[in-house]
Amino acid sequence: MMSMKCQNLDFSRLGPDFAAFGFSYNASFDRYMIGKRCNGVPRAVQNGYGAQRLFCFRQDIGATEASIEGVAPIPAPLEEVKTGSRSPISLVNLFELVADDLIILNNNLQSIVGADNPVLMSAAEQIFSAGGKRMRPALVFLVSRATAEFVGLKDLTKEHRRLGEIIEMIHTASLIHDDVLDESDMRRGKETVHQLYGTRAAVLAGDFMFAQSSWYLANLENLEVIKLISQVIKDFASGEIKQASSLFNCDVGLDEYLTKSYYKTASLIAASTKGASIFSGVNSDTSEHMYQYGKNLGLSFQVVDDILDFTQSTEQLGKPAGSDLAKGNLTAPVIFALDKEPKLRNIIDSEFCESGSLDEAIELVKRCGGIEKAQALAKEKADLAIQSLQCLPSSSFRLALEEMVQYNLERIE
Amino acid sequence: MLSMTSHNLEFGRSGLDFVACGCSSNASYLVRNSSKGVLRRVKYEFGARKWLCFRRDFGSCRVVSTKTPEAFVNENPVLMSAAEQIFSAGGKRMRPALVFLVSRATAEFVGLKELTKEHRRLAEIIEMIHTASLIHDDVLDESDMRRGQETVHQLYGTRVAVLAGDFMFAQSSWYLANLENLEVIKLISQVIKDFASGEIKQASSLFDCDVELDEYLIKSYYKTASLIAASTKGAAIFSGVDSDVCEHMYQYGKNLGLSFQVVDDILDFTQSAEQLGKPAGSDLSKGNLTAPVIFALEKVPRLRDIIESEFCETGSLDEAIELVKSCGGIERAQNLAKEKADLAIKSLQCLPQSAFRLALEGMVKYNLERID
C-alpha cells in the first residue's frame, strides 16, 4: 500500500547511494516502502510532518534491487552523509540505515500479536498501522549498530532484534491502555482501539501484549536487561498514577513534571538504548552513556510533544488540540506560564467549567512565554543527549543518533 | 488488620509444627505470631471448612504477611482503596499457602531449616499476579460482584481497575526480575502469558457449543492451573531440590489447579448466589461453557439450542441449568475433578512424609469436599 508524492526530483551521485525507506501518514502498515531503483532517478517523498523532503539515493552496489518483499542488503556504513542542500531532517532519512531491520520487526510484530485471535489481530492492525514512527525500535537498532562497531560486531544479534520487538510491544500496549485510562477517542488520526472495539478488547489487547513482551524478555535470559525493562513497566504504571493524582493541580513543580515524563516516556527509551548497548557487549560506562542519551532524548521528546499540544492544530496532531490541558494534565508550557500568570491558575482550578475558558488558558500560556521556556527546556535536554554520544566512535550511526535529537527539536521550529 | 476467628483450640506438639499462612476471610494479610503449644483452627468462609494450622517449633518463627498492600501505600489513595477492596474481600490466600507448604515440604528434603526470602517473595508475587488478574477479569467479564463485595471496577470505575491491575502486574514483574533466578522468571512469565491467552480463548468461544473437553481443560490450565503449577514448582526450585522433584511439584500444582477449577465450575451451578458471593449460573449466562455443561451437551441436544439462543428468552437460563443438573452433567464433572485430584496426590509421593506433605494432600481433599 504505497502512496508517495514525488516532488523535486534531484539527481545526485555521491559514493554509496542507498534507497530510502519512506512512509506517509496516510499509508497503512506496510508503509515502509522501498523506492524501487530506477537508474538515475531518485525520488523525494513527502511525509506527514509538513513537507519535509526525503532525498533518496539509489544504491550503486552491483545488481542490487530493493524490493518490498525481499530484504534489502544492509548498506555499508557511510563514510559521510551528504544531503546536498540542507533540508530539515526527516525520520525516514535517519531510519534508512536500519530500514530493513525495521521491516523484519514489523513482520515479526504482526505475527506475534495477530496469531491468536481475529479481534486481537484487528486491534493490533489498528494501532500498528496508525502511523507509529517506530522510533523506539529504530533507536534500538541504531544504538545496536553504533555500539556494535565499537566491539567489532558485524551484524545485529537476535537479541538486538528481539529487544526492538519487545520495546515496541511494550510501547504499543501502554498506548492502548493509556487511551482507555484517558478515555481518548483518537490517536494518530484514527480511532483508538477501545473506541472501535470496546474497553474489554482494549484491556485484553494491552494485557496480551504486555504478557507477550514479558515472556520474550524472560527468554532473552539476560538478567540485567530483564531488570532494566521490568523497571520500565513499573515506571509506566507509576507514571500513570502520578499523572492521575495530579490532574488540575497547579502546584505541580517542574521536577515533578520531569519525573512523570521520565516514568511515562523517557524510561522506556533509556532502557531501549541501554539494553541495545548491553547486547553489543560494550563496557558499562558506555552502557551508562547510552542510558543517559536515551533518557535525555526521551525527556526532550516529551517536552516537544507537550509543546506541540499547544501549537499544532487538531489535524496535525491526529487528536484534539489542547487535550492535555483540557484533561488537567499540566505540562511544561503550563507550568512555566503559571509562574508568570496568576489568572491562569484560577482558570485551571475551575477545571474549565466555563465555556471559552480553555481557549483563554491556551492563549495565556502562549502569550506569556510558556512555550519559549519549554522550548529552552527541550533544548537543554537535547544538549545533554548529544553530549552522551561523545563516547561513541564517529560513524553514520552515531550521526543518525545525533540527528534524532535534532529532528525532535525541529518539530518545534 | 488481624481478625481471626478461633475455634476449637487444640494443643498439639508434633515434631515439626508450622504456622500456616492461613487467613480469615475478613482480614487482609495477616501476620501470625506463633505461641507455643497452641494449635489453632481457623474457620473459613466456605461452609465450615477448617484449616489446620500448626505452629512452628523452631524458635521465633513467624509467617510474615505478604506486605503487598504496602506497595500501594505511598502511591495514591484511590489505588489504596482499590487494593483494600480486593485484598480484604475474603480471598483464601490459597496460592501463597501452597507456596509456603511446598517450600517447607521440599525444604525438609534438602535440610533447609527456614524459608528463604526468595520463598516469601515468590508468595507475594504469586498473590499479586493472582489479584491483578482478578481485577482485570472483572473488567473483562463486566462482573459487579466478587466474594460478596462489589468489584473494583464497579466501585471505582474501569479506569482505576485497569490501572490497579496494571500496577500490580508491573510490581510483580519487577519483584520477579529482582529474584534473579532465570528459571523462575521464565516460569512466571509463561504464566502471565497464559493468563492472557486463556482470556482470549474464553472470549473467543463464548456460547460455542462445539467446545470440547480438551479445549476446556486447556483454557482452565491457562486461567487457573498454570499459576498454581508455577507456584508449587517455583517453591521447589527455591528449595534447591532436584529437577525431578520440581517436575512432580509442577504436576501437583497443575492437577490441583485443574481440579480446583472444575470444582469452581460445578459450584457455579450448585451453590446459591449468597454462598458464591456473586450471581449463580453466571458462567453459563455469559456463555462460558464449563465442564458440567460440556458433559450435559453430549446428552441433551435441547441444551445446545438454548445456549445458542444466548438465553434471549426469559426462563431459558434456568431451564438450561435444570437440564445440566438433571442429565448428570454435575456428576461427570465431579468425576473429572476427582480424577485430577488423584493425579495431584500421586505427584506428592516423591516427598518424604511430613506434616507439610500431609497438608498438601489435605489441600486436594479440601477442594473436593467443597462439592460433597
Side-chain angles (χ1 to χ4, degrees):
Chain A
M1 263 168 276
M2 284 202 289
S3 105
M4 289 195 299
K5 296 182 205 146
C6 295
Q7 295 173 337
N8 289 357
L9 298 186
D10 259 339
F11 288 86
S12 172
R13 284 186 159 270
L14 308 167
D17 297 336
F18 54 89
F21 300 82
F23 53 91
S24 102
Y25 266 103
N26 301 322
S28 78
F29 187 66
D30 280 332
R31 89 186 148 285
Y32 280 107
M33 306 171 290
I34 299 184
K36 283 253 154 98
R37 178 176 67 121
C38 4
N39 274 340
V41 178
R43 293 197 182 117
V45 174
Q46 178 170 14
N47 73 13
Y49 279 109
Q52 291 178 356
R53 250 101 39 93
L54 172 69
F55 288 98
C56 313
F57 302 88
R58 61 170 176 67
Q59 191 124 14
D60 203 2
I61 305 174
T64 48
E65 185 121 63
S67 72
I68 291 179
E69 260 70 60
V71 178
I74 297 169
L78 302 174
E79 300 314 317
E80 52 176 358
V81 177
K82 292 228 189 94
T83 53
S85 57
R86 186 82 174 104
S87 62
I89 297 173
S90 78
L91 269 186
V92 183
N93 232 351
L94 297 179
F95 291 359
E96 34 195 306
L97 290 174
V98 292
D100 43 330
D101 295 327
L102 287 168
I103 290 177
I104 296 171
L105 172 106
N106 284 332
N107 291 338
N108 287 348
L109 280 178
Q110 286 258 307
S111 58
I112 288 170
V113 177
D116 272 20
N117 176 278
V119 175
L120 263 194
M121 181 73 171
S122 314
E125 270 281 322
Q126 179 71 8
I127 192 98
F128 280 142
S129 69
K133 298 181 287 301
R134 299 284 181 272
M135 182 187 79
R136 289 159 190 77
L139 278 170
V140 170
F141 295 138
L142 284 172
V143 171
S144 301
R145 291 194 182 279
T147 48
E149 278 219 329
F150 218 162
V151 296
L153 212 57
K154 294 237 175 301
D155 198 1
L156 295 192
T157 62
K158 62 182 188 339
E159 284 79 13
H160 282 129
R161 296 192 191 283
R162 194 33 65 77
L163 181 66
E165 288 159 23
I166 289 168
I167 297 289
E168 189 67 2
M169 271 196 281
I170 290 174
H171 173 58
T172 307
S174 72
L175 292 184
I176 293 178
H177 274 197
D178 268 10
D179 289 338
V180 172
L181 294 173
D182 297 340
E183 292 166 339
S184 305
D185 298 336
M186 299 289 278
R187 177 179 284 281
R188 300 168 180 162
K190 292 179 83 163
E191 285 164 299
T192 54
V193 171
H194 82 97
Q195 179 69 10
L196 263 187
Y197 298 102
T199 299
R200 295 169 60 183
V203 174
L204 190 49
D207 282 353
F208 183 73
M209 269 197 264
F210 272 125
Q212 288 279 48
S213 55
S214 298
W215 186 79
Y216 282 117
L217 180 65
N219 282 275
L220 281 179
E221 304 204 339
N222 181 308
L223 270 176
E224 194 182 358
V225 173
I226 289 172
K227 291 202 286 187
L228 192 63
I229 308 279
S230 303
Q231 180 70 50
V232 171
I233 299 180
K234 189 168 169 248
D235 288 344
F236 269 153
S238 298
E240 280 302 320
I241 289 166
K242 227 174 172 35
Q243 184 169 294
S245 314
S246 53
L247 293 177
F248 296 107
N249 177 8
C250 292
D251 292 319
V252 68
L254 196 67
D255 280 342
E256 209 179 308
Y257 162 78
L258 288 170
T259 300
K260 186 212 76 180
S261 301
Y262 172 74
Y263 283 158
K264 290 197 71 175
T265 304
S267 175
L268 181 60
I269 297 176
S272 311
T273 48
K274 182 170 180 179
S277 69
I278 288 173
F279 283 131
S280 290
V282 295
N283 65 25
S284 60
D285 280 345
T286 307
S287 292
E288 195 46 40
H289 284 302
M290 289 303 98
Y291 179 84
Q292 291 299 326
Y293 165 76
K295 173 183 162 188
N296 287 300
L297 172 62
L299 288 174
S300 182
F301 187 76
Q302 184 60 58
V303 175
V304 168
D305 255 6
D306 294 337
I307 292 170
L308 292 176
D309 195 57
F310 281 92
T311 59
Q312 278 192 334
S313 69
T314 297
E315 204 176 58
Q316 289 167 306
L317 283 168
K319 56 177 181 170
S323 56
D324 286 338
L325 187 53
K327 289 173 177 165
N329 179 18
L330 311 183
T331 58
V334 177
I335 294 172
F336 285 127
L338 277 168
D339 279 341
K340 290 271 179 67
E341 183 56 77
K343 186 154 188 310
L344 187 55
R345 175 179 276 261
N346 298 341
I347 302 180
I348 293 173
D349 281 342
S350 80
E351 300 190 16
F352 309 112
C353 53
E354 280 180 46
S355 63
S357 57
L358 177 63
D359 289 327
E360 191 186 347
I362 294 176
E363 258 319 293
L364 283 170
V365 169
K366 288 180 175 175
R367 253 204 341 244
C368 73
I371 308 289
E372 283 75 19
K373 290 184 78 176
Q375 281 172 332
L377 177 62
K379 186 137 200 340
E380 181 194 312
K381 297 303 177 192
D383 289 341
L384 288 170
I386 300 276
Q387 244 161 59
S388 300
L389 291 174
Q390 308 289 316
C391 66
L392 295 178
S394 274
S395 71
S396 54
F397 302 108
R398 171 176 154 178
L399 196 65
L401 289 171
E402 287 172 2
E403 295 201 328
M404 273 294 225
V405 181
Q406 306 297 358
Y407 157 77
N408 177 48
L409 287 179
E410 281 176 10
R411 290 158 73 204
I412 44 173
E413 276 167 16
Chain B
M1 266 169 278
L2 277 179
S3 105
M4 290 195 300
T5 324
S6 300
H7 294 261
N8 290 357
L9 296 187
E10 279 180 28
F11 289 86
R13 285 183 162 271
S14 55
L16 221 57
D17 292 339
F18 60 91
V19 175
C21 181
C23 38
S24 108
S25 33
N26 298 323
S28 61
Y29 287 104
L30 300 175
V31 176
R32 281 274 195 84
N33 279 327
S34 65
S35 32
K36 273 192 165 351
V38 173
L39 182 77
R40 294 204 183 104
R41 285 188 184 178
V42 174
K43 190 171 178 189
Y44 267 93
E45 232 180 8
F46 279 104
R49 294 299 154 211
K50 281 176 279 191
W51 260 117
L52 290 176
C53 309
F54 304 86
R55 61 156 180 76
R56 199 93 194 273
D57 204 2
F58 293 156
S60 60
C61 21
R62 179 198 300 190
V63 172
V64 181
S65 79
T66 54
K67 292 188 290 197
T68 305
E70 282 181 29
F72 286 78
V73 164
N74 296 321
E75 290 289 349
N76 178 278
V78 175
L79 217 52
M80 178 76 170
S81 314
E84 274 282 323
Q85 179 70 12
I86 190 98
F87 284 138
S88 66
K92 297 178 292 298
R93 305 286 181 269
M94 180 187 82
R95 289 159 190 75
L98 278 171
V99 171
F100 291 134
L101 285 173
V102 171
S103 301
R104 292 192 186 280
T106 48
E108 276 218 330
F109 219 159
V110 294
L112 208 60
K113 292 231 176 304
E114 179 63 66
L115 292 192
T116 63
K117 62 180 189 338
E118 285 80 10
H119 282 129
R120 297 185 193 286
R121 190 37 63 80
L122 180 66
E124 290 167 26
I125 290 168
I126 297 290
E127 190 66 3
M128 268 194 277
I129 291 174
H130 173 58
T131 306
S133 73
L134 292 184
I135 294 179
H136 274 197
D137 268 10
D138 289 337
V139 172
L140 294 174
D141 296 341
E142 293 167 339
S143 304
D144 299 335
M145 299 290 278
R146 178 180 283 280
R147 300 168 178 165
Q149 294 205 40
E150 285 165 298
T151 53
V152 171
H153 85 97
Q154 179 68 10
L155 263 187
Y156 298 101
T158 299
R159 294 170 63 182
V160 171
V162 173
L163 190 49
D166 283 352
F167 185 71
M168 265 197 265
F169 272 125
Q171 288 277 48
S172 57
S173 299
W174 187 80
Y175 283 122
L176 179 66
N178 283 275
L179 281 179
E180 305 206 340
N181 181 308
L182 271 176
E183 195 183 356
V184 173
I185 290 173
K186 292 201 288 186
L187 193 62
I188 307 283
S189 305
Q190 180 70 51
V191 172
I192 298 180
K193 188 170 170 244
D194 288 344
F195 268 153
S197 299
E199 280 302 322
I200 289 166
K201 225 172 169 42
Q202 182 168 297
S204 315
S205 55
L206 295 177
F207 297 106
D208 177 5
C209 291
D210 292 319
V211 69
E212 306 220 337
L213 195 68
D214 280 343
E215 214 179 305
Y216 161 79
L217 287 170
I218 290 172
K219 188 211 77 182
S220 302
Y221 172 74
Y222 283 157
K223 291 198 69 177
T224 305
S226 175
L227 181 61
I228 298 176
S231 312
T232 49
K233 182 173 180 176
I237 289 172
F238 282 131
S239 290
V241 292
D242 70 47
S243 59
D244 280 345
V245 177
C246 289
E247 195 47 39
H248 284 301
M249 289 303 97
Y250 180 85
Q251 291 299 326
Y252 164 76
K254 173 183 163 190
N255 286 300
L256 172 61
L258 289 174
S259 182
F260 186 75
Q261 184 61 57
V262 174
V263 168
D264 254 7
D265 293 338
I266 292 169
L267 292 176
D268 195 56
F269 281 92
T270 59
Q271 279 193 332
S272 69
E274 206 177 56
Q275 288 166 308
L276 283 168
K278 56 177 183 172
S282 57
D283 286 338
L284 187 54
S285 66
K286 289 175 174 156
N288 178 20
L289 311 182
T290 59
V293 177
I294 295 171
F295 287 127
L297 276 168
E298 286 172 20
K299 291 275 181 64
V300 184
R302 167 129 180 77
L303 186 55
R304 174 178 277 257
D305 297 332
I306 303 179
I307 292 173
E308 281 175 0
S309 80
E310 300 191 14
F311 310 111
C312 53
E313 281 180 43
T314 17
S316 56
L317 178 61
D318 289 328
E319 190 187 345
I321 294 175
E322 258 320 295
L323 284 170
V324 169
K325 287 178 175 177
S326 63
C327 75
I330 308 287
E331 284 74 21
R332 287 183 68 188
Q334 282 170 335
N335 285 340
L336 178 62
K338 184 135 202 335
E339 179 192 315
K340 297 302 176 193
D342 289 341
L343 288 170
I345 302 271
K346 276 230 260 296
S347 300
L348 292 175
Q349 309 287 318
C350 63
L351 295 177
Q353 294 284 3
S354 72
F356 307 106
R357 173 175 154 178
L358 202 64
L360 289 171
E361 289 171 8
M363 277 290 227
V364 179
K365 301 207 167 75
Y366 155 75
N367 176 48
L368 287 180
E369 281 174 11
R370 299 195 291 152
I371 44 170
D372 274 346

